[in-house]
Amino acid sequence: MAGITDLGVGIGWRSEIDLTVERLPGVDFVEVVAENLHGDVQRGHLPESVRLLLERGIPVLPHAVSLSLGGADPVDLTRVEHLGEVAEAVGAPMVSDHVCFVRAGGLDSGHLMPVPRTKDALDVLVANVRLAQQNLPVPLALENVAALLEWPDGELSEGQFLAELVERTDCWLLVDVANLYANARNIGTDPERFLDEIPLERLAYVHVAGGVDHGDVYHDTHAHAVLPEVLGVLDELCSRVSPPGVLLERDDNYPSDSEIASELAAIRAVVDAHRG
């Protein structure tokens, strides 16, 4: 996947912090939520801030949240086509979505729902991913999600499930270390086992995000500061592989520019500590 071997440290572009992203030092790349870019993107109808970043030579990677590739409902190819159009409009080397479903029986959950880790569910996911890949102009990476429950009768661990997905589809992986931490807290999974089992050579890039405790439950909010424990999972990942890129996600309750800059600096420090 040419052009994505060294993305650096980035941040999720959001319209609420467009000026912040433009003036932050050390932003090497950004990620945009594809569904938030409306209108005729093929004709260059992009937000002014995104166009400015592109003019500066900053890579812009589209990230989807609605393909529902893990669902039993047919893939909505209009959503796939829009994702591809955004990729072409920003000259992206790749796109991404999640290993999840968001729709079933005509209803939309409004949430990234975990997929049952059974062989039958994997067959459905593989078929949907292959269909999406056939209709996308660039490679597809898929992200692990945070879950508050595990479906019964699972036949594979999450790492094994993703490893088989990669083997059968040749997709890339977008590893969210905040989601690994959330799952360890909420459902008792082991981030180190996950990292042992996935094909790290297929790592596209990494997400880092904040959350907050609510009693015995950890909420992956993307609206709070990144915990040291999440940076610890990132450190564990970086001890095994040099990630092509690491990106900070923030979706609400936006802090000051200096606070965001500090979080980016903390992420970069973890990454740089493992580079010779």
Side-chain angles (χ1 to χ4, degrees):
M1 188 161 49
I4 200 159
T5 55
D6 189 13
L7 288 168
V9 174
I11 188 169
W13 183 91
R14 304 293 184 262
S15 59
E16 296 89 344
I17 54 170
D18 54 356
L19 297 179
T20 293
V21 174
E22 290 173 24
R23 62 188 174 227
L24 275 174
V27 171
D28 301 317
F29 74 108
V30 300
E31 181 187 79
V32 295
V33 176
E35 290 83 353
N36 289 346
L37 298 188
H38 307 291
D40 191 353
V41 294
Q42 287 182 308
R43 295 179 180 270
H45 293 174
L46 296 168
E48 181 180 353
S49 175
V50 173
R51 291 201 306 271
L52 175 63
L53 295 171
L54 288 169
E55 289 169 2
R56 293 178 180 173
I58 294 177
V60 176
L61 305 185
H63 184 56
V65 295
S66 68
L67 298 190
S68 197
L69 296 174
D73 289 357
V75 175
D76 184 347
L77 288 180
T78 60
R79 297 175 187 268
V80 178
E81 290 165 3
H82 176 72
L83 177 60
E85 290 170 359
V86 174
E88 291 183 324
V90 300
M94 65 172 297
V95 295
S96 59
D97 201 308
H98 303 78
V99 178
C100 74
F101 68 98
V102 298
R103 289 181 299 281
L107 299 176
D108 196 310
S109 69
H111 187 72
L112 305 176
M113 303 292 290
V115 177
R117 291 199 297 272
T118 64
K119 294 179 180 179
D120 286 344
L122 180 60
D123 288 342
V124 171
L125 175 63
V126 165
N128 289 343
V129 169
R130 287 174 175 168
L131 180 58
Q133 289 172 319
Q134 291 168 11
N135 288 274
L136 287 168
V138 293
L140 173 66
L142 294 170
E143 178 184 349
N144 58 298
V145 300
L148 292 174
L149 59 85
E150 284 201 283
W151 296 100
D153 304 320
E155 298 171 296
L156 300 164
S157 69
E158 185 175 18
Q160 292 168 337
F161 192 84
L162 294 182
E164 288 206 24
L165 173 65
V166 170
E167 182 178 354
R168 294 172 62 179
T169 67
D170 203 33
C171 71
W172 292 79
L173 292 177
L174 169 49
V175 172
D176 190 313
V177 293
N179 290 347
L180 291 180
Y181 174 73
N183 290 346
R185 284 285 310 276
N186 294 330
I187 57 179
T189 55
D190 182 354
E192 292 191 22
R193 179 185 177 187
F194 175 95
L195 296 173
D196 284 340
E197 293 176 339
I198 63 170
L200 289 172
E201 69 276 9
R202 298 298 292 177
L203 179 64
Y205 60 106
V206 177
H207 275 176
V208 179
V212 66
D213 286 306
H214 284 296
D216 294 331
V217 176
Y218 175 78
H219 283 212
D220 175 49
T221 62
H222 292 198
H224 295 81
V226 175
L227 293 182
E229 292 86 349
V230 171
L231 292 177
V233 181
L234 175 63
D235 182 70
E236 180 65 33
L237 183 151
C238 290
S239 72
R240 300 160 185 255
V241 66
S242 180
V246 184
L247 181 127
L248 173 66
E249 290 186 295
R250 186 80 178 216
D251 294 325
D252 201 2
N253 192 27
Y254 299 103
S256 66
D257 288 13
S258 61
E259 290 177 82
I260 295 178
S262 293
E263 292 203 320
L264 289 172
I267 290 169
R268 191 180 297 276
V270 173
V271 174
D272 288 348
H274 292 276
R275 290 182 173 172

